[in-house]
Amino acid sequence: MNTLLEHITERLDSLFAPLAEGRDAPPAQRLRLEGLLEVAVLLGCADEDELTALLSNRYQAAFSRTPQDDFGAQWRQLFPFPQIPAMQQRAPVVPSTSDDL
């Protein structure tokens, strides 16, 4: 595997791991990784389809489900290349007052 693709794989794993655990990941981390995805295409290391497959594979490894499971069959329309579907889970909301007010 190309060194750049190995680096992208490692970064995908380090981006998805905290999110899968319910923690946050810095937006800058995702944005830099999206830039690397574009660079890989520009340098001819991989095409968009190969990188989308890699992204989907690493997503499934982290979350035990695919992007299609979470965002639908047309998930790439929601997240066009090189966007990465990396979002923190919704925080639980607990009312701080009773409904009797």
Side-chain angles (χ1 to χ4, degrees):
M1 181 186 282
N2 180 301
T3 303
L4 178 57
L5 296 181
E6 290 173 4
H7 192 67
I8 288 171
T9 301
E10 290 171 9
R11 285 195 179 199
L12 282 168
D13 290 344
S14 69
L15 174 68
F16 289 146
L19 295 172
E21 295 171 359
R23 294 181 291 127
D24 197 11
Q29 182 181 6
R30 178 182 50 82
L31 294 170
R32 284 192 299 269
L33 184 49
E34 289 172 353
L36 285 177
L37 293 173
E38 276 194 293
V39 166
V41 170
L42 292 172
L43 293 177
C45 298
D47 62 27
E48 288 184 24
D49 291 338
E50 292 169 317
L51 292 171
T52 296
L54 175 63
L55 188 152
S56 184
N57 175 278
R58 302 321 307 153
Y59 187 99
Q60 185 170 11
F63 295 100
S64 300
R65 56 190 185 275
T66 66
Q68 293 89 335
D69 294 334
D70 286 344
F71 306 107
Q74 302 300 321
W75 72 277
R76 266 305 185 195
Q77 289 180 347
L78 186 59
F79 301 97
F81 185 85
Q83 290 184 20
I84 299 171
M87 296 176 285
Q88 184 178 7
Q89 296 175 9
R90 293 183 65 162
V93 178
V94 179
S96 59
T97 60
S98 69
D99 290 338
D100 297 336
L101 295 179

